[in-house]
Amino acid sequence: MLVSQRLKRLLKLVPGERRFGFYRFLPFFFVLGGAMEWFMINVRVGKETFYDVYRRKRSERLYEARLEKGE
């Protein structure tokens, strides 16, 4: 059996095809997005999380912009 046929069979198992069509997969994407957000906030890689790096880079950019303005 080809992979695409297996995939089609697996996708047919998700309920709501007649009523919601392709949109029946939206709850899976919401859960995936929430899980990714939780991972980025709470899981440390090395000693930093994604948001630690984001905040640091943002403050560095603001500092450099102030230096260029001459404040």
Side-chain angles (χ1 to χ4, degrees):
M1 187 181 262
L2 293 172
V3 175
S4 62
Q5 290 175 344
R6 287 184 195 168
L7 184 61
K8 283 181 186 178
R9 208 166 98 208
L10 182 66
L11 292 177
K12 291 265 186 202
L13 294 175
V14 177
E17 182 177 8
R18 235 179 43 209
R19 175 173 276 192
F20 300 116
F22 182 74
Y23 297 105
R24 70 185 187 270
F25 300 109
L26 277 179
F28 297 115
F29 292 114
F30 281 114
V31 169
L32 179 66
M36 190 166 58
E37 189 75 20
W38 180 88
F39 184 85
M40 291 167 69
I41 292 170
N42 294 312
V43 175
R44 293 193 177 275
V45 177
K47 59 181 178 174
E48 294 180 315
T49 65
F50 170 81
Y51 285 112
D52 292 338
V53 174
Y54 173 76
R55 284 191 300 260
R56 187 182 72 239
K57 292 287 185 181
R58 186 177 61 173
S59 66
E60 287 173 359
R61 286 187 203 112
L62 288 172
Y63 178 74
E64 289 174 3
R66 286 182 191 155
L67 285 180
E68 288 177 2
K69 279 185 175 179
E71 290 182 359

